[in-house]
């Protein structure tokens, strides 16, 4: 396997066991825990000037990624703009609101950052096939990156997944199984299938150790875009928590490297229709209880049983952030408000970050000079039908 100089292998977040990348393609070989890439930070000697290299997108941060750009499966994902939202800042009563617009990625969501790394790892492991269960966007991204690498992809989606996701998985040549029901049903079908196919390499959330590693670059970019100031708050629409865990890791790394002093407060925004992280946070628990009847229009965060909840809850507490749930009605309203007041097209799932920020502002959580970053994890026009229907439900 080709890996970068400072990459020191994988550590289990449960049993602290350490493994080389080659011996652990998925979960911890000893206990089944989630594996996290580690680096020899002392050996890196990075300064603010040398932190980002010259490569485009995610691979600009090659020295803090497991694999070098020379072997990367990439479409120049990442390097998304951090767009000022002055009208929202006024409405929320804060100094600045900035929207990290992940809709500008190759398949229209930040899932590309994770799949670029996960599919690169699959190639390094000599895989011929990748597989995952997904609410939709990760499947679209996986089938795209697999196509680029010449791998076959096996994608299990719930019938609820959006038409665009299903259509594009087909267009990329993915082998798609549409499972009646919700993400849990797609997950069960995937488990059955992968048990019968030893040669399928999993690129599922927190099975591959590399999706959060790709997504951590969102925070590196944000801090660089803010000229090395750490934002006070980052509000993130949270499903499996891959992006939140990744960004919190990135903030910790920047501090360890001596490049910043603080951590941004990380906020998990969920829908009231599926809010296991909010419930666990408010109850002071370190693990979630599975949400019994998930029901939200926000497919990307309709994740009733997020296996990484201990990592998510740790990140929220360590960063002095928290968790907030709003209703689907409020979430859809904020997609429309942001589109009408700022021009920016937020996806439906992503708008949970906007309506969550509104709720936090109303609670007095934000200071009047604070800088608040909202993650627009996917392009609004992927959800045009849902947002338009919301207007119709109001007679517009
Ligand atoms: C997958 C997804 C999320 C949730 O991501 P996690 O990292 O699993 O929490 C949020 N928004 C969109 C658009 C997504 O596709
Ligand atoms: Zn372990």
């Amino acid at each position: 396997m080709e890996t970068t100089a400072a990459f020191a292998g994988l550590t289990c977040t449960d049993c602290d066991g350490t493994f080389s990348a080659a011996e652990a393609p998925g979960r911890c070989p000893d206990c089944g825990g989630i594996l996290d890439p580690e680096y020899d930070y002392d050996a890196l000697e990075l300064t603010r000037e040398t932190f980002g290299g010259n490569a485009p997108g995610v691979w600009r941060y090659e020295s803090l990624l497991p694999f070098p750009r020379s072997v990367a499966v990439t479409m120049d994902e990442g390097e998304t703009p951090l767009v000022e939202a002055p009208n929202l800042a006024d409405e929320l009563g804060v100094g600045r609101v900035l929207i990290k617009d992940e809709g500008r990625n190759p398949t229209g969501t930040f899932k590309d950052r994770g799949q670029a790394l996960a599919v690169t790892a699959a190639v390094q492991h000599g895989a011929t096939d990748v597989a995952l269960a997904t609410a939709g966007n990760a499947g679209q991204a996986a089938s795209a990156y697999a196509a680029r690498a010449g791998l076959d992809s096996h994608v299990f989606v719930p019938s609820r997944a959006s038409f665009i996701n299903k259509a594009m998985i087909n267009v990329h040549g993915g082998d798609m199984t549409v499972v009646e029901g919700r993400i849990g049903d797609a997950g069960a079908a995937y488990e059955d299938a992968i048990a019968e196919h030893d040669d399928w390499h999993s690129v599922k959330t927190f099975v591959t150790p590399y999706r959060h590693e790709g997504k951590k670059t969102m925070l590196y970019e944000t801090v660089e875009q803010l000229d090395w100031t750490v934002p006070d708050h980052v509000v993130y629409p949270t499903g499996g928590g891959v992006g939140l865990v990744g960004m919190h890791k990135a903030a910790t790394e920047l501090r360890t490297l001596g490049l910043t002093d603080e951590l941004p407060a990380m906020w998990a925004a969920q829908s009231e229709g599926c809010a296991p992280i909010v419930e666990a946070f408010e109850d002071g628990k370190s693990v979630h209880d599975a949400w019994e009847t998930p029901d939200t229009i926000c497919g990307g965060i309709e994740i009733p049983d997020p296996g990484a909840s201990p990592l998510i809850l740790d990140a929220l507490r360590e960063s002095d952030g928290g968790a907030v749930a709003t209703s689907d009605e409020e979430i859809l309203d904020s997609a429309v408000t942001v589109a009408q007041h700022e021009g920016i097209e937020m996806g439906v799932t992503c708008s949970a970050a906007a309506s969550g920020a509104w709720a936090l502002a109303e609670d007095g959580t934000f200071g009047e000079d604070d800088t608040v970053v909202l993650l627009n994890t996917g392009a609004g026009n992927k959800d045009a039908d849902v947002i338009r229907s919301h207007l119709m439900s109001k007679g517009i």
Side-chain angles (χ1 to χ4, degrees):
M1 283 186 97
E2 264 204 68
T3 55
T4 49
F7 176 52
L10 302 164
T11 300
C12 178
T13 57
D14 274 351
C15 74
D16 290 331
T18 55
F19 306 91
S20 73
E23 66 189 329
R27 290 287 193 112
C28 173
D30 288 349
C31 79
I34 292 168
L35 295 176
D36 187 35
E38 297 269 357
Y39 303 85
D40 180 1
Y41 295 108
D42 291 338
L44 275 166
E45 292 185 24
L46 291 170
T47 64
R48 288 182 176 185
E49 287 68 38
T50 61
F51 181 68
N54 295 321
V58 161
W59 304 92
R60 178 175 157 73
Y61 309 106
E62 177 185 54
S63 58
L64 283 161
L65 296 175
F67 309 106
R69 180 164 194 270
S70 55
V71 301
V73 180
T74 176
M75 293 189 263
D76 296 352
E77 55 289 330
E79 216 170 327
T80 58
L82 185 67
V83 185
E84 197 83 47
N87 299 318
L88 288 189
D90 277 354
E91 284 161 37
L92 298 186
V94 298
R96 291 176 87 183
V97 173
L98 298 127
I99 298 183
K100 184 74 173 150
D101 194 2
E102 291 293 306
R104 322 266 184 120
N105 274 300
T107 74
T109 76
F110 73 139
K111 290 295 196 300
D112 293 331
R113 295 183 192 255
Q115 289 302 329
L117 272 277
V119 174
T120 295
V123 171
Q124 289 301 304
H125 280 285
T128 55
D129 295 64
V130 294
L132 77 167
T134 156
N137 285 328
Q140 183 178 339
S143 62
Y145 283 83
R148 190 163 177 88
L151 306 183
D152 289 332
S153 58
H154 306 277
V155 184
F156 294 78
V157 292
S159 47
R160 280 200 155 203
S162 85
F163 170 75
I164 290 183
N165 290 148
K166 291 176 193 154
M168 293 313 294
I169 292 165
N170 285 152
V171 169
H172 289 300
D175 160 34
M176 179 171 65
T177 305
V178 179
V179 184
E180 187 58 38
R182 310 277 166 97
I183 182 74
D185 304 298
Y190 153 89
E191 294 293 349
D192 288 349
I194 205 161
E196 295 195 354
H197 294 89
D198 288 351
D199 53 333
W200 287 7
H201 178 97
S202 181
V203 291
K204 189 169 177 273
T205 293
F206 284 122
V207 175
T208 166
Y210 302 110
R211 281 174 59 171
H212 66 294
E213 209 58 14
K215 289 182 177 183
K216 78 180 182 183
T217 55
M218 294 190 291
L219 195 278
Y220 293 162
E221 287 176 15
T222 299
V223 172
E224 279 202 301
Q225 286 165 322
L226 292 172
D227 288 326
W228 291 95
T229 12
V230 175
D232 300 293
H233 307 277
V234 174
V235 189
Y236 176 79
T238 304
V242 184
L244 191 145
V245 169
M247 284 190 289
H248 178 67
K249 175 178 182 180
T252 310
E253 290 179 320
L254 292 179
R255 197 174 59 174
T256 303
L257 288 162
L259 301 175
T260 57
D261 297 324
E262 288 141 40
L263 301 176
M266 300 298 305
W267 296 93
Q270 298 199 299
S271 162
E272 284 169 1
C274 184
I277 296 297
V278 179
E279 186 181 67
F281 183 82
E282 287 176 351
D283 293 349
K285 291 189 178 156
S286 54
V287 190
H288 76 289
D289 290 322
W291 197 262
E292 287 214 358
T293 13
D295 195 18
T296 164
I297 195 104
C298 307
I301 54 173
E302 196 182 44
I303 308 294
D305 196 12
S309 68
L311 304 184
I312 302 171
L313 292 159
D314 271 356
L316 303 180
R317 294 190 176 114
E318 225 175 83
S319 69
D320 264 331
V324 59
T326 50
S327 68
D328 279 9
E329 179 78 11
E330 293 167 295
I331 291 170
L332 287 162
D333 281 347
S334 32
V336 174
T337 304
V338 175
Q340 297 191 350
H341 294 198
E342 297 288 3
I344 297 166
E345 297 179 354
M346 288 192 94
V348 166
T349 293
C350 325
S351 308
S355 63
W358 250 287
L360 292 169
E362 275 164 17
D363 282 357
T365 304
F366 299 147
E368 57 182 13
D369 295 324
D370 283 359
T371 297
V372 180
V373 171
L374 307 181
L375 269 295
N376 186 31
T377 42
N381 59 17
K382 281 186 112 168
D383 298 327
D385 51 348
V386 178
I387 305 176
R388 186 67 190 84
S389 307
H390 178 63
L391 289 180
M392 287 168 76
S393 75
K394 299 181 168 230
I396 302 169

